[in-house]
Amino acid sequence: MDVLVDMAYGSFPAGRAGLALLAFRAFVGGAFILHGLGRIHDLRGFAADHHISWGMGLAAKLTQLAGGAMLVLGLLTPLAAIGISTTMVVAAGILVRKGERFINPGGHSWEGCAFYALAGIVIALLGPGRYSIDALLLDRLAS
């Protein structure tokens, strides 16, 4: 079990690095909560606009909402980060398939999706930092 925890979390930096991870997690998590709330009232329309099934649209929105909240709290951070990264890789793929450019100042692009996919990967690799529920729970388990 300790090996799995070490692989998933590594260390829990404190100080400036811990504060930077907290700020980054909170920003990315908050953005995903807002992404998840966007059009959740119209899942069929969201799914149709993106040429995905209703179930896939629901899964994306729930992943964004739950993953965003988990990132803000620093709870099961690697899982949450991988979840949001996956939704953004799929979204980028959909936009690329539609012929969208990486950067398009006058319209849609897949730059934002790629950025958030990378942000999730960075959070998954760096971990949540000292100022997280993960650190608190794992410190208690180690005691």
Side-chain angles (χ1 to χ4, degrees):
M1 180 72 164
D2 289 341
V3 172
L4 290 175
V5 170
D6 286 344
M7 285 176 53
Y9 289 98
S11 64
F12 292 96
R16 290 180 1 191
L19 289 173
L21 287 168
L22 171 62
F24 192 49
R25 274 191 359 256
F27 178 85
V28 172
F32 271 89
I33 291 169
L34 294 175
H35 278 286
L37 289 173
R39 299 204 45 202
I40 194 141
H41 63 282
D42 181 20
L43 280 172
R44 291 197 193 288
F46 169 75
D49 285 350
H50 296 288
H51 307 289
I52 58 176
S53 69
W54 178 87
M56 193 169 169
L58 176 63
K61 290 298 176 184
L62 292 177
T63 300
Q64 290 172 351
L65 285 167
M70 290 163 64
L71 285 181
V72 169
L73 297 171
L75 176 64
L76 299 174
T77 304
L79 179 65
I82 290 167
I84 64 156
S85 288
T86 302
T87 65
M88 291 296 96
V89 167
V90 171
I94 289 169
L95 292 174
V96 167
R97 195 173 62 229
K98 284 180 161 180
E100 302 289 350
R101 296 184 348 205
F102 176 62
I103 296 174
N104 182 6
H108 291 110
S109 68
W110 55 274
E111 171 193 9
C113 297
F115 172 80
Y116 279 115
L118 182 59
I121 291 166
V122 168
I123 293 169
L125 291 172
L126 292 178
R130 174 62 47 201
Y131 313 112
S132 64
I133 292 176
D134 287 336
L136 178 70
L137 292 175
L138 290 172
D139 282 350
R140 287 192 179 167
L141 286 174
S143 305

